[in-house]
Amino acid sequence: MRYLMTTNASGAVPDEKLFAEMGAFIEEMTAKGVLLATGGLEPAGIRVESSGGEIVVTDGPFAEAKEAAAGFALVEVRSKEEAIELARRFRGIAGDGTSVVQQVFGS
């Protein structure tokens, strides 16, 4: 089962301890074969909406910058519970903020 985990921009300034802990967590997930991809996301982005056959393109996918997804991890795990546990561990390292876990369907 694959899950996409996204995290919001917390506004906190990362320090060396955070980088070291996150690096160790990423190395662990990579060694276990769980981590498929990870990366940061551009905060601005583009929003494309359709309604009644009309397509509207606007700058920025979020109403407020604090809602913007700042990064992601794509993981492959055995269960939803395992994905949630990884997200819990991530939040424990990253600190205050919000992460969203969604199952990825298809190939």
Side-chain angles (χ1 to χ4, degrees):
M1 300 172 83
R2 289 180 295 156
Y3 287 87
L4 179 65
M5 298 187 290
T6 55
T7 186
N8 70 335
S10 67
V13 178
D15 59 14
E16 291 302 316
K17 180 181 181 217
L18 174 70
F19 283 125
E21 289 178 5
M22 194 61 67
F25 182 52
I26 290 170
E27 284 180 26
E28 176 190 335
M29 289 195 308
T30 301
K32 289 181 177 180
V34 171
L35 185 62
L36 302 178
T38 185
L41 299 170
E42 175 189 17
I46 304 294
R47 180 183 208 121
V48 180
E49 295 180 85
S50 61
S51 177
E54 183 179 341
I55 297 175
V56 178
V57 179
T58 56
D59 291 336
F62 302 99
E64 297 182 36
K66 69 181 181 179
E67 296 174 1
F72 75 94
L74 180 62
V75 298
E76 188 161 18
V77 294
R78 292 179 300 273
S79 67
K80 179 176 162 182
E81 291 73 26
E82 189 175 349
I84 292 169
E85 182 55 30
L86 289 174
R88 290 174 59 84
R89 289 184 59 201
F90 172 82
R91 289 278 25 126
I93 296 168
D96 293 347
T98 303
S99 292
V100 176
V101 179
Q102 294 173 282
Q103 187 172 0
V104 176
F105 299 110
S107 52

